[in-house]
Amino acid sequence: MVQRPRTLQAFSPKEFAYAHQLLATRVAFMMGRKLEEGDWAHVYCIAKNIPYVGWSNLNIDVMHNGLGVEHKMLRQPSDKPLRDICGTRLMHPAATRSIRIPSLDSLPNEAMSDVLTQYADFLGERRKLVSEKARGAQADMRTGWLLWQANLQEFLYFEEETILPDPQDYFAEWKESGGGSRKASKNLWVYEKETGQKRYSITTAAGAKIQPYFDVPPPSDPNLYYFKVQGEELTNGLVRIWVTTATERELRRLVGDLTVENIGLVIESAATEPVARNPERITQNEEAKEILLALESYELLAASFPGVSDEHMIQLLIQRLSSL
């Protein structure tokens, strides 16, 4: 029977709440730029009180006191709720490039066994390194999957145990791809014997790499963490947004108390013709502040001051208020 990874607890309730605030802060300062691996690594480490040493695509992402986490990120479209992908199987572009492909003329199962053995050795070396860094303690090796919407509104994260693949659990076949205007290539598709489901796609052109398929847990899984950091609908018809401290301070200077009622009146009075201004990159130097809006006020804000993020929309509102 093929061994499948179990999901594992990644955050305590306190760490999860802090990670939510840190992620919202990160997005507020990004001003619409693409999410990068270092953004999530920073949020993860700070929330868990792990020293943040930067991010590298050459080394394991988190290595602290026997914990070893390899982060994998996958962007999703923004036209449907992110929770819709729960319970589905997705493919990640790459697990590792640290493999070599045997002869393309070899039998598919022989090639698969060779590649998966290399991959297991690669994972074993990483486990050994984490254990050595922890002075011989048993390594807790995990893969952390971060799924995020392109508009940076919703995020899903979960961790699962890292399992060394056993070639005996799989079978493979060669697949031709490309042709026409594209140069044809030959890839190796690997399937689970037990279910017939594809588990790996192994490329042979433009640098050999293993592309794994992974299962997104159902919404009921307690180890699945959901973040909504823009336009977050709360109870009683309220929406929470996060903005930089400087933006919150300037808005307060212009309008006074940032109560739900007062901000709603301000947005309504300022909402005439849409304001257009390109977002400007700002440097993060402090945590973001939360502001509560009525749902109808948030919808009016988005319609009248369209921006790349909640932070940008409030900046455009401030620009309008400053010109009145």
Side-chain angles (χ1 to χ4, degrees):
M1 180 179 295
V2 61
Q3 188 178 8
R4 294 187 180 87
R6 298 172 297 125
T7 61
L8 304 170
Q9 181 180 1
F11 299 109
S12 69
K14 184 178 180 180
E15 291 170 343
F16 173 59
Y18 192 26
H20 191 147
Q21 181 182 4
L22 291 170
L23 185 57
T25 297
R26 204 74 177 179
V27 170
F29 280 92
M30 285 166 59
M31 294 295 283
R33 70 164 170 81
K34 179 185 175 182
L35 184 74
E36 298 174 351
E37 286 85 351
D39 293 312
W40 176 246
H42 178 270
V43 167
Y44 182 89
C45 289
I46 300 303
K48 292 179 67 65
N49 197 28
I50 294 173
Y52 176 62
V53 295
W55 176 86
S56 169
N57 60 3
L58 300 177
N59 303 311
I60 192 167
D61 297 297
V62 176
M63 191 163 45
H64 180 70
N65 289 343
L67 175 65
V69 184
E70 177 70 15
H71 284 144
K72 297 295 181 184
M73 296 169 49
L74 193 61
R75 184 175 66 176
Q76 300 296 303
S78 307
D79 57 355
K80 61 181 180 180
L82 196 54
R83 284 194 177 106
D84 284 0
I85 63 174
C86 289
T88 66
R89 176 168 289 197
L90 302 176
M91 188 270 283
H92 191 274
T96 178
R97 293 181 183 272
S98 300
I99 59 169
R100 57 175 177 77
I101 297 293
S103 171
L104 299 183
D105 296 325
S106 58
L107 295 175
N109 285 338
E110 292 178 355
M112 176 267 295
S113 180
D114 187 308
V115 169
L116 292 187
T117 298
Q118 292 179 59
Y119 186 36
D121 291 343
F122 171 79
L123 295 175
E125 288 298 317
R126 286 197 157 184
R127 183 183 298 273
K128 179 180 177 182
L129 176 61
V130 171
S131 179
E132 289 175 349
K133 291 287 186 179
R135 299 181 178 179
Q138 184 174 1
D140 180 4
M141 303 300 293
R142 306 177 175 206
T143 303
W145 299 99
L146 180 71
L147 308 169
W148 53 282
Q149 287 182 319
N151 62 7
L152 303 177
Q153 286 194 349
E154 299 181 39
F155 298 77
L156 285 174
Y157 181 73
F158 67 97
E159 290 181 359
E160 59 185 16
E161 58 186 339
T162 299
I163 296 177
L164 276 59
D166 184 351
Q168 297 299 318
D169 293 332
Y170 305 95
F171 69 93
E173 61 179 12
W174 290 110
K175 284 288 185 178
E176 300 284 349
S177 64
S181 60
R182 294 176 53 195
K183 184 177 180 180
S185 62
K186 194 175 184 181
N187 297 331
L188 189 66
W189 287 5
V190 178
Y191 304 86
E192 295 177 353
K193 285 182 179 179
E194 185 178 71
T195 65
Q197 292 184 317
K198 190 191 299 184
R199 178 54 68 178
Y200 301 101
S201 177
I202 302 165
T203 66
T204 62
K209 60 182 179 181
I210 296 177
Q211 299 176 318
Y213 287 75
F214 64 98
D215 299 310
V216 184
S220 59
D221 192 318
N223 298 321
L224 179 67
Y225 301 90
Y226 171 77
F227 306 88
K228 186 168 185 180
V229 299
Q230 299 193 80
E232 180 187 1
E233 294 187 29
L234 306 177
T235 57
N236 301 324
L238 297 180
V239 173
R240 177 168 65 174
I241 65 173
W242 297 84
V243 299
T244 64
T245 299
T247 295
E248 191 262 2
R249 185 187 304 118
E250 181 63 9
L251 183 63
R252 188 181 297 276
R253 184 187 71 81
L254 290 170
V255 308
D257 291 337
L258 300 183
T259 62
V260 172
E261 295 77 11
N262 193 34
I263 296 178
L265 292 173
V266 168
I267 293 173
E268 185 176 355
S269 64
T272 54
E273 296 298 323
V275 175
R277 191 181 74 180
N278 292 329
E280 298 177 2
R281 191 72 57 86
I282 48 181
T283 302
Q284 180 176 343
N285 53 18
E286 53 196 353
E287 292 179 4
K289 300 288 187 180
E290 66 176 70
I291 296 177
L292 297 180
L293 305 173
L295 176 59
E296 58 268 24
S297 298
Y298 180 78
E299 292 174 343
L300 181 58
L301 176 72
S304 304
F305 303 95
V308 298
S309 63
D310 290 347
E311 162 72 19
H312 190 206
M313 291 192 298
I314 295 296
Q315 285 189 15
L316 296 178
L317 172 63
I318 289 173
Q319 180 188 5
R320 168 64 57 77
L321 295 173
S322 300
S323 66
L324 296 177

